[in-house]
Amino acid sequence: MREEKEREKPLPSKLENRFEFFLWNSRLLVMLAVVPSLLGATVLFLIGTADVFGIVVDTISYYLGVGSGDIHDTVIPKIIIAVDIYLIAIVLLIFGSGIYRLFISPIDQSEDRTPSHPFNVGSFDQLKDKIARVVILAVIIEFFRAVVDIRFQTPLDAIYLAVSVLALAGGLYLMSHAHRKDSHD
């Protein structure tokens, strides 16, 4: 029965074969997103590292008495910004490797790792989920940077901060709860 179906199937024309060859190879267009994503991640890692080295130099200068100004007001916001830069670099890295894996080819080295490794994505939904988690973490870091700079004017400002932290904690709880539910399925 199976042989009959195979015999009934008409042979594709040369034009159809060429077009399908073109369609299949058009997947390589994603390299126009992969390479810049990896380059962008590299640039951001370098910027974040340079920022951290700058913080270290400023701190050493301050404690040796050579630096100007008080670093206590600037060190934490600068470190938070560096962490935020690193997180955005990680988003680009996960995005670039994820779409490469989905469209071009599995990455052999990541295949040897656990399925939960960020580079191991099997679908767009998994890629979106992994990127969304890192983006949410970057937003949380940005929130903490803003909180560090807050100067309370009224007691209502403190209440707003408390409500914001409670909403953030609730969001993190729901996100971790959803992640646990997904990993048990």
Side-chain angles (χ1 to χ4, degrees):
M1 177 96 175
R2 187 175 181 188
E3 290 177 12
E4 290 175 19
K5 285 187 177 182
E6 287 179 12
R7 275 189 252 147
E8 291 175 12
K9 186 177 174 183
L11 294 174
S13 67
K14 273 188 173 182
L15 179 63
E16 185 178 357
N17 280 336
R18 286 182 187 156
F19 186 70
E20 287 176 359
F21 177 80
F22 169 76
L23 278 177
W24 175 248
N25 287 316
S26 69
R27 78 190 193 290
L28 297 174
L29 287 171
V30 300
M31 293 303 289
L32 294 173
V34 171
V35 172
S37 294
L38 299 178
L39 289 173
T42 302
V43 167
L44 288 175
F45 279 124
L46 292 172
I47 290 170
T49 301
D51 288 353
V52 170
F53 281 136
I55 295 165
V56 170
V57 168
D58 290 347
T59 303
I60 291 170
S61 298
Y62 174 78
Y63 283 108
L64 291 177
V66 197
S68 61
D70 187 10
I71 62 163
H72 292 92
D73 293 333
T74 60
V75 147
I76 292 177
K78 285 181 178 179
I79 288 178
I80 290 172
I81 289 170
V83 169
D84 213 21
I85 289 171
Y86 285 136
L87 287 173
I88 295 167
I90 290 169
V91 166
L92 289 173
L93 203 56
I94 292 171
F95 173 76
S97 63
I99 62 170
Y100 179 88
R101 187 175 192 280
L102 289 173
F103 284 95
I104 306 297
S105 171
I107 302 168
D108 295 336
Q109 289 80 1
S110 75
E111 295 296 316
D112 299 336
R113 305 278 182 200
T114 63
S116 63
H117 190 278
F119 289 174
N120 286 337
V121 292
S123 68
F124 273 121
D125 287 338
Q126 283 182 346
L127 180 60
K128 287 188 309 185
D129 183 53
K130 289 180 184 207
I131 289 173
R133 289 179 193 284
V134 179
V135 167
I136 288 170
L137 189 56
V139 168
I140 291 168
I141 297 295
E142 187 63 28
F143 171 78
F144 285 130
R145 186 182 68 79
V147 166
V148 167
D149 294 336
I150 287 179
R151 302 291 179 245
F152 295 112
Q153 304 290 326
T154 67
L156 192 57
D157 292 341
I159 292 172
Y160 289 149
L161 176 62
V163 169
S164 298
V165 170
L166 182 63
L168 192 59
L172 285 173
Y173 171 76
L174 292 174
M175 192 172 82
S176 69
H177 183 69
H179 181 66
R180 276 184 275 160
K181 191 171 116 178
D182 288 345
S183 63
H184 289 300
D185 291 342

